[in-house]
Amino acid sequence: MALIVQKFGGTSVGDTQKIINAAKRIVAAKRKGSEIVVVVSAMGKTTDQLIHMAKEITKIPSSREMDMLVSTGEQISAALLAMAIHELGEGAISLTGAQVGITTDSIHTKARILDICPTKISEELNLGKIVIVTGFQGVNLKNDITTLGRGGSDTTAVAIAAALKADLCEIYTDVDGVYTADPRIVKNAKKLNEITHEEMLELASLGAKVLHARSVEFANKYDVPLCVRSSFNNSEGTYIVKEANVMEHPVIRGITTDKSEAKITLIKVPDTPGIAAKLFNKLAEYNVNIDMIIQNVSEQGHTDISFTMHRAEMPRLKNILDELLKTVNAKRYSINENIAKLSVVGIGMRSHSGVAAQMFSSLAKANVNISMISTSEIKISCVINGKDSDKATQVLHEEFQLDKLS
Ligand code: ADP
Ligand code: ASP
Ligand code: MG
């Protein structure tokens, strides 16, 4: 009997009618003869609302308590979905991350899964039940609830599929699959039939919300057959596949933007050996994740260092900025919270030259200023002004003719 893990995202369980619709789809799959494990997200904007409430109480909530709080959202949708399945005449049981043995490290609000012990899930499946698991959460070795970072239910689903050696992991969401760009920004974005793990991992890490980056890592590492499809229709969706299984690699397969970062510049830092080490050690001490870094050319023994980081971590950073300035003896700092990181991704870039030039020229023509650049073998990212982000995405989508892909 095939074992399928189905994950339903927030919009797909956004209200009780949508939960009933999801239940119908799940029961239909079970009645076709498969064993089904379901992973659910919190209903609609529940997680945002919970975070908002915490912020009304404190600027810097305890991250342990944040996890206690936000993990409740998934428990609501899991229990309601179990009830909806009971109504349709099938056995179902909802279980939390702790109950299904998802152990994580202790980095609250962005924990990583260390281990899954799927015995409980297997026992319930053997009783003929549909097993529903709360996404996005686990417990650390002290038994405290942890969460996996925003969008983390995808990772729960793929990790469970890996642990159970499932035949397929289906991510049901509010779009028909993975597109060449966010279809909400680019109207003629094309749905891709398939995309490689490497490309999907880059797109997800660089802001394409459609899959959580860690879920793609798990799928690649443990060979989990993974697809993204709509919970509102029956169209085929997008398969995430091994590079070797794809016949042709376009130079660019997708474009994405990330508006969740901020740029901090430390001005007039003495240009002496060890300064960067001191600065980034201090940031690491406070668990601040840094993304891009740029150091300017030195002038009269001084330089400026800019870095980008997640804007959600700004309140914590602001608390230590004075200490940072002292640590590196910088004159002052500036903060820009209105930036966007725009990235083009494609395996074909490995064997093509001139992609960066084409991207920069096209942005220049559209009067979009670039303030930072970073590249890897299969991606080019530029930091631009936040207000230019949608226009720049559309311009590049046209420039690289992504509407011609499939
Ligand atoms: P869910 O709640 O189902 O997990 P998400 O909101 O996390 O759904 O992810 C789906 C959303 O991702 C889509 O509604 C779409 O706006 C956005 N998205 C961004 N980039 C892409 C892309 N390249 N392809 C498809 N969707 C994308
Ligand atoms: N509910 C969590 C979030 O909104 C996890 C998820 O939906 O994947 O980020
Ligand atoms: Mg999601």
Side-chain angles (χ1 to χ4, degrees):
M1 197 188 285
L3 171 56
I4 303 176
V5 176
Q6 299 187 328
K7 179 254 168 180
F8 289 83
T11 336
S12 308
V13 290
D15 55 39
T16 45
Q17 188 52 50
K18 292 206 174 106
I19 289 179
I20 292 168
N21 293 345
K24 286 183 184 154
R25 192 182 274 271
I26 293 160
V27 166
K30 159 118 176 115
R31 290 183 181 160
K32 268 196 198 153
S34 298
E35 290 183 302
I36 309 286
V37 177
V38 180
V39 172
V40 278
S41 290
M43 292 170 73
K45 300 251 171 266
T46 304
T47 311
D48 291 335
Q49 284 156 2
L50 292 168
I51 293 171
H52 182 75
M53 278 196 276
K55 293 215 169 122
E56 282 180 341
I57 290 175
T58 166
K59 255 200 197 137
I60 309 181
S62 138
S63 53
R64 181 192 180 279
E65 300 311 326
M66 270 321 268
D67 279 349
M68 275 296 276
L69 176 69
V70 294
S71 60
T72 59
E74 272 65 15
Q75 214 170 309
I76 297 171
S77 41
L80 290 173
L81 182 60
M83 292 174 200
I85 293 175
H86 295 161
E87 267 309 285
L88 297 171
E90 288 291 336
I93 181 168
S94 66
L95 298 167
T96 64
Q99 285 174 304
V100 298
I102 300 181
T103 314
T104 72
D105 63 20
S106 285
I107 314 281
H108 282 289
T109 75
K110 45 189 174 204
R112 290 164 80 93
I113 295 177
L114 300 175
D115 190 31
I116 296 186
C117 167
T119 322
K120 173 83 176 158
I121 301 182
S122 299
E123 282 169 8
E124 297 294 343
L125 287 174
N126 287 340
L127 294 173
K129 288 188 197 159
I130 292 167
V131 180
I132 302 160
V133 181
T134 52
F136 174 57
Q137 57 174 270
V139 282
N140 65 16
L141 295 169
K142 290 193 298 187
N143 242 351
D144 283 329
I145 294 179
T146 52
T147 61
L148 310 180
R150 296 306 304 269
S153 298
D154 300 331
T155 296
T156 307
V158 179
I160 286 178
L164 291 169
K165 300 194 172 43
D167 297 283
L168 179 62
C169 180
E170 296 177 311
I171 305 291
Y172 284 96
T173 185
D174 57 1
V175 285
D176 286 359
V178 179
Y179 282 70
T180 48
D182 187 338
R184 290 175 210 286
I185 297 172
V186 178
K187 287 293 161 247
N188 62 345
K190 264 315 255 310
K191 193 203 87 189
L192 298 163
N193 293 326
E194 49 191 18
I195 181 168
T196 65
H197 291 108
E198 289 84 351
E199 289 165 325
M200 192 63 239
L201 183 57
E202 286 284 7
L203 285 174
S205 313
L206 294 166
K209 248 174 84 191
V210 64
L211 276 178
H212 194 235
R214 288 274 291 153
S215 71
V216 186
E217 270 176 41
F218 269 107
N220 194 19
K221 189 164 168 196
Y222 298 103
D223 281 329
V224 178
L226 176 63
C227 75
V228 177
R229 54 191 302 192
S230 168
S231 61
F232 305 128
N233 62 45
N234 285 319
S235 70
E236 261 287 298
T238 303
Y239 283 82
I240 324 299
V241 296
K242 295 256 173 255
E243 184 180 339
N245 296 344
V246 179
M247 295 284 276
E248 253 191 284
H249 293 293
V251 180
I252 306 293
R253 190 150 354 227
I255 302 179
T256 186
T257 43
D258 185 351
K259 290 193 196 166
S260 67
E261 294 196 345
K263 182 174 133 193
I264 293 88
T265 304
L266 298 186
I267 298 158
K268 278 211 146 188
V269 181
D271 193 14
T272 51
I275 283 287
K278 268 192 197 163
L279 170 63
F280 292 102
N281 273 326
K282 187 54 83 199
L283 289 164
E285 209 180 283
Y286 286 92
N287 252 324
V288 179
N289 276 331
I290 302 303
D291 180 18
M292 288 161 99
I293 301 171
I294 274 195
Q295 179 170 336
N296 280 354
V297 178
S298 166
E299 244 182 68
Q300 293 161 349
H302 285 87
T303 182
D304 297 344
I305 301 179
S306 299
F307 57 90
T308 61
M309 53 173 277
H310 219 262
R311 213 169 38 234
E313 296 189 15
M314 280 308 286
R316 232 153 19 95
L317 182 88
K318 280 179 181 163
N319 266 1
I320 60 162
L321 261 173
D322 288 335
E323 196 182 332
L324 275 186
L325 281 191
K326 267 196 218 128
T327 305
V328 296
N329 224 345
K331 260 257 147 39
R332 55 183 204 283
Y333 60 80
S334 70
I335 296 175
N336 185 350
E337 299 198 50
N338 185 26
I339 60 165
K341 185 170 62 172
L342 175 70
S343 309
V344 296
V345 172
I347 277 187
M349 233 187 269
R350 279 187 197 141
S351 50
H352 259 80
S353 53
V355 184
Q358 194 179 350
M359 177 177 185
F360 304 154
S361 309
S362 165
L363 291 176
K365 235 189 281 163
N367 214 9
V368 174
N369 190 45
I370 301 171
S371 66
M372 289 170 120
I373 297 167
S374 83
T375 64
S376 79
E377 211 188 7
I378 65 162
K379 73 116 205 254
I380 303 168
S381 300
C382 299
V383 171
I384 60 172
N385 200 321
K387 73 170 173 34
D388 290 335
S389 153
D390 288 1
K391 174 176 79 173
T393 308
Q394 282 151 2
V395 161
L396 292 183
H397 198 269
E398 207 153 294
E399 175 70 30
F400 291 106
Q401 302 191 349
L402 298 193
D403 57 324
K404 309 260 178 349
L405 295 188
S406 60

